[in-house]
Amino acid sequence: MKIKLLILTALFVIGWGCTKQSLKATYDKQAGYIDSFVQAQMKADPEATLVRNEGAWRLTLQDHKDPGDSLLAGGQVILEYASYTLTGASISASNLIETNVKEIATAANWKLSDSTIFQPVTLTLDKTLVDGLRMGLHGVQPGDEAYILFTGEFAFGNKENGTIPAKSALVYHVWIESIKNE
């Protein structure tokens, strides 16, 4: 009996270790996709700026370069966005998860009857946001256009969320309208 228990325990530990290594390999591969995406964007737009906040990359394409207000923890941001899963080094309409930009939805052939979704959203920079988005939005300024990218580790992890598969790396293309820090 003790031998069976020891064997089962050993198999569990080995299986858990392999799963953990597999998950790390998945996230490392996603980080490579993010790096390739960022490098391609920076090559196409040498004026783009890159900031890394913990586990999120923010590639700002249009930066008003004003040393004024930046979004801080607990602040609010009003923005338009398109979110995608990142399964390679680029994004496309086939990877679009959600958007509040009518032109992007139309280009992806989405047939939507509720046009009220095409309104800017207000988000609070707090723990209610997925970690990668919260980290990536930290520091944005009004007028910025940016990509916020992060691995599945900073998205929904090993859990599926609606149409987003488990372990998915995500990209948010955002257009910042305004911010308000408390």
Side-chain angles (χ1 to χ4, degrees), residues 5-41:
L5 185 59
L6 285 173
I7 291 171
L8 287 174
T9 302
L11 289 173
F12 174 77
V13 169
I14 290 168
W16 181 74
C18 290
T19 301
K20 194 172 179 181
Q21 285 178 333
S22 173
L23 197 54
K24 183 179 177 345
T26 297
Y27 295 151
D28 287 347
K29 186 175 183 179
Q30 292 173 352
Y33 292 156
I34 290 170
D35 187 53
S36 294
F37 179 92
V38 166
Q39 294 307 316
Q41 293 297 318

Side-chain angles (χ1 to χ4, degrees), residues 71 76-82 98-101 116-124 129 133 137 172-179:
L71 186 62
Q76 289 189 324
V77 59
I78 297 176
L79 57 83
E80 292 184 313
Y81 70 95
E98 188 175 26
T99 187
N100 66 346
V101 179
T116 63
I117 67 165
F118 301 119
Q119 301 293 323
V121 296
T122 301
L123 302 175
T124 301
L129 292 179
L133 185 58
L137 284 171
Y172 281 79
H173 190 173
V174 298
W175 296 266
I176 308 301
E177 291 192 9
S178 64
I179 66 164

